[in-house]
Amino acid sequence: MDHFIADLDTDDVAEVERRTNAAGDNISGIALVVF
Amino acid sequence: MTVLLVGYSDLQEQVLLADAIETRGHEVLNCDVRDWPGGPPITLTPGSSEALLGTQFDYDDITGAYIHHSLLFQPYESRFTDQLTDDLIPVLNQLREHRSIFQSLSRILEDHGADVIPPFHNYGFQDRKPWQLHLYDLNNLHIPDTVFTNDPDELRSFYDTHERVIYKPVTRGGGPHELTDDDLTQERLEKLATAPIQLQEYVPGDDIRIYILNGEVIGAMRYESDQFSFKLDLKNGDRDSIDIHAATISEDIATTVTRAAKQARLIFTAADVRRRQDGTYSLLELNETPRFAAAHTHIGQDIAGQLAEFLLE
């Protein structure tokens, strides 16, 4: 399906996990302000 | 005393909250929902004072609970994607049945006098953004001009009457984008038929997040990011980076966000505000289970400790 909002199907939860994991020990706030 | 935490046990907020409770000499019942489906036994028996979530506990021993509703067996979670692709209806039913257990547990704990965050009536709060903003406007709280629509004519009209316009999902998913002339082609506008969107006037200024617990402001931060935010000002460098600073807020903003939390009946929340250089501001939204690890870890605002104290009362 082609939405007007192209990234509507982004999985918020998975994205938060990915960014948090990518930050490793240096939790630079990645996605930590989301939701 | 025991506090029940439900979500992902390695989620930063859940880790911080568990530590804060345990350092105060109390117990944590740390429930990772990824243990299910297929995990340890779950038993709720009407009339019984006890429940089993892998571990058995007495309802009356639980003084408080923090439950990440957005992680409760929601079909949009990526951990279910493959199963849903292969077996759609049975898996949807499976998730609904598990969700019912945890939602019911939340209600039972409330009935037994526990402080449950968020309260059951706030589950899915952020999925009702049109109502949320309507509520704030009804109570004369400052929000940006906003419309939720799938109507191309409405979009054009909003675009023509505002200097800069942001579009973003009604609930969740994609980030904010700025509406431009390129979005006004017939091909683009026809895509509105797939789902309504949120159009909002662009508010220049700083992104402020304010934490509120039980009617009081317990922390505030200013942050700069080109991701995960309503902020569209371009920032050079790592797209994943985000700068966080402690913030002081005016009495007017504090009053607005605490009033909004009260109207929304949120016990704990984070209010996202855009603050202009002249001090005026717009309230964008409140969040029912906000992330707070960054404020806690980077600028020393003890959100977890204050939450722990509340859940242990």
Side-chain angles (χ1 to χ4, degrees), chain B residues 33-51:
Chain B
V33 293
R34 292 171 297 188
D35 287 345
W36 296 279
I42 299 172
T43 303
L44 300 184
T45 306
S48 170
S49 64
E50 294 181 328

Side-chain angles (χ1 to χ4, degrees), chain B residues 63-85:
Chain B
T63 59
Y66 195 94
I67 299 175
H68 287 271
H69 177 259
S70 63
L71 303 178
L72 288 187
F73 308 94
Q74 306 290 356
Y76 53 72
E77 293 178 69
S78 60
R79 69 184 179 115
F80 302 123
T81 302
D82 290 344
Q83 297 101 305
L84 286 164
T85 302

Side-chain angles (χ1 to χ4, degrees), chain A residues 1-5 7-8 10-17 19 27-35, chain B residues 12 34 76-78 168-169 172-175 177 188 191 194 209 221 227-228 240 242 287 290-291 298:
Chain A
M1 190 179 294
D2 203 7
H3 301 297
F4 186 90
I5 297 176
D7 54 354
L8 184 64
T10 300
D11 181 332
D12 291 341
V13 175
E15 187 65 2
V16 168
E17 282 188 286
R19 286 169 181 272
I27 306 169
S28 55
I30 288 80
L32 297 179
V33 293
V34 192
F35 300 157
Chain B
Q12 285 297 319
R34 292 171 297 188
Y76 53 72
E77 293 178 69
S78 60
K168 50 190 176 182
R172 64 180 73 244
H177 305 272
R188 282 284 290 146
K191 293 177 181 175
T194 70
R209 168 161 279 203
M221 64 180 186
Q227 296 282 309
F228 293 121
D240 282 353
I242 181 168
N287 304 274
R291 312 304 302 263
H298 283 274

